[in-house]
Amino acid sequence: VEQLARAELARLGLRPGRTVPGGVELAATTRQLYVANVWMRTATRVLVRLGSFEARTFAELETRAGTLPWDRYLDGRPATYRVTSTASELHHTDAVAQRVARASGSAQARTTPPDSPGRDGAPHDEGAPLAPLVVVRVVRDQVTVSVDASGEPLYKRGWRQAVAKAPLREALAAAALAATGWDGSTPLVDPFCGSGTIPIEAALLASGMAPGAQRSFAFQAWPSFEPGTWASVRAGLTAVPTETSPPAPIVGSDRDAGAVDAARANAERAGVSHLVRFERAAVSDVGPPTWADGPGGPGWVLTNPPYGARVGGPDLRDLYARLGQVLGARFAGWRVGLLVADPVLAGHAGVRAEELLRTSNGGIPVRLLADHVG
Ligand SMILES: C[S@@+](CC[C@H](N)C(=O)[O-])C[C@H]1O[C@@H](n2cnc3c(N)ncnc32)[C@H](O)[C@@H]1O
């Protein structure tokens, strides 16, 4: 996803540097930092690097960490210190956290944020404000200290309150859309839409709406927060013209009535219910959109069918084969993208040509496999 995030930053007019495993580096002004948070669709969070230094002893660590500009970012509330260490003298991560906390002047919070390693998907008390997050990486005695600017992970846009089974992270849906190159000018169909994540992200993308327009960010609580700069970034959000009719039909369907209700409610909250339609239908009954208030097909069938590990019975081969038959019979000339855990299953649907993406969804490895429907 790093390359997709990099391309996204460039499209936003920011100047991304190199990609690193799991991220993209960039030098940004305060305004650009706010823009990245509110506009990025594929990123999980934006970290601000406070500094990088060498330390082999706890005394060195504490002295050098003490020179970082903490008072711009921490407001005195206890913070969460997330530490990783590889091939370094300072390998005891709890002790590193303690020393950095002491140097920063902010106590350690008891809670860890919901997307901490090993706590993926762990329930988080939504009512409680998140503690500020400090990320410390120690690699070969080089310590890099960063502060999280985002708060709740950026895939939490604020609109997905109703969930069906096995929901896809919003940022992954956005990454899949970006990987296909779909731009809103052709129809998009998701026949296993669940809570509607793919169609809703598609509608937000097609209409140029900022994914983070409805939420708040950790940087708003920083002592160095610039309300005027933030107000002007926010003013830019409403200045984006919103389409009154969809550029092309975006349709989601699911055989589960509860999922369809959830998808409709989510689309309403996201402000895109006029751009996307949700229908209750089994995959056997799905075809290309039959109304034509925008350009017709061919377009993309982009979907996240049941995975063995999360929903459905032990043998999903029949379901994938059925999807393959439906595609062949009704979607000739379209392109298809399947977000799946198991490429063999995708093969049962006849989808095997191209791997557009390989990443993970809540700890489960997933790939986006794409093909032309013959
Ligand atoms: C992995 S989930 C999709 C999750 C979705 N991307 C989201 O973000 O919520 C798969 C969905 O396929 C639906 N499903 C399973 N069998 C189906 C069938 N035969 N026809 C239509 N939908 C089906 C399930 O109800 C479930 O919502």
Side-chain angles (χ1 to χ4, degrees):
V1 175
E2 292 91 331
Q3 289 301 339
L4 296 171
R6 193 175 189 284
E8 212 187 348
L9 284 166
R11 267 199 309 280
L12 291 171
L14 310 187
R15 267 169 291 155
R18 49 176 197 149
T19 59
V20 292
V24 188
E25 296 180 332
L26 79 152
T29 62
T30 300
R31 183 188 175 79
Q32 290 171 331
L33 172 69
Y34 298 172
V35 166
N37 270 286
V38 75
W39 278 102
M40 283 199 79
R41 299 176 200 276
T42 60
T44 299
R45 57 177 69 258
V46 183
L47 299 173
V48 173
R49 239 178 228 177
L50 265 54
S52 193
F53 52 82
E54 199 176 77
R56 290 197 166 77
T57 66
F58 286 115
E60 278 175 347
L61 173 69
E62 206 168 325
T63 308
R64 293 188 180 148
T67 65
L68 299 174
W70 295 106
D71 53 358
R72 288 181 54 77
Y73 304 102
L74 298 183
D75 56 7
R77 280 184 297 150
T80 299
Y81 296 82
R82 187 196 290 169
V83 182
T84 54
S85 174
T86 17
S88 301
E89 294 286 327
L90 298 175
H91 56 264
H92 189 329
T93 52
D94 288 346
V96 170
Q98 244 170 34
R99 299 305 177 102
V100 176
R102 208 149 72 188
S104 75
S106 287
Q108 281 183 267
R110 284 168 190 280
T111 54
T112 49
D115 66 335
S116 294
R119 294 205 28 161
D120 226 6
H124 164 65
D125 177 359
E126 297 290 340
L130 271 185
L133 171 67
V134 176
V135 178
V136 183
R137 292 184 67 223
V138 192
V139 180
R140 283 184 289 280
D141 302 319
Q142 191 69 25
V143 182
T144 304
V145 182
S146 309
V147 171
D148 166 43
S150 303
E152 291 280 8
L154 295 178
Y155 56 76
K156 296 200 174 176
R157 322 287 203 212
W159 51 259
R160 196 168 75 185
Q161 289 168 24
V163 292
K165 279 178 282 186
L168 197 62
R169 284 189 177 166
E170 293 83 335
L172 178 51
L177 284 158
T180 63
W182 181 82
D183 63 359
S185 65
T186 59
L188 185 119
V189 173
D190 177 359
F192 299 101
C193 74
S195 47
T197 317
I198 294 173
I200 293 170
E201 283 295 319
L204 289 168
L205 179 71
S207 59
M209 288 163 76
Q214 297 186 5
R215 51 163 284 164
S216 59
F217 301 92
F219 63 73
Q220 292 173 260
W222 288 352
S224 58
F225 175 56
E226 296 176 14
T229 309
W230 178 227
S232 87
V233 169
R234 285 205 60 91
L237 303 182
T238 49
V240 171
T242 49
E243 304 273 350
T244 46
S245 62
I250 300 170
V251 194
S253 55
D254 200 287
R255 69 161 181 206
D256 185 272
V260 175
D261 288 346
R264 287 192 182 128
N266 287 333
E268 194 69 46
R269 269 188 292 272
V272 295
S273 54
H274 58 302
L275 299 176
V276 48
R277 281 191 206 186
F278 289 107
E279 290 154 8
R280 183 178 176 199
V283 66
S284 328
D285 299 326
V286 169
T290 48
W291 77 96
D293 39 4
W300 273 89
V301 174
L302 180 62
T303 193
N304 166 222
Y307 307 1
R310 299 191 78 176
V311 283
D315 192 351
L316 291 166
R317 278 177 298 192
D318 291 348
L319 181 63
Y320 280 70
R322 185 80 197 107
L323 170 64
Q325 287 160 6
V326 168
L327 291 170
R330 302 182 200 140
F331 288 90
W334 284 54
R335 299 204 64 196
V336 54
L338 301 186
L339 263 173
V340 291
D342 182 354
V344 176
L345 276 178
H348 284 280
V351 176
R352 47 174 75 87
E354 244 187 304
E355 183 178 285
L356 297 182
L357 193 62
R358 190 188 283 221
T359 179
S360 78
N361 184 45
I364 298 173
V366 288
R367 300 153 192 247
L368 175 61
L369 297 164
D371 218 329
H372 289 270
V373 183

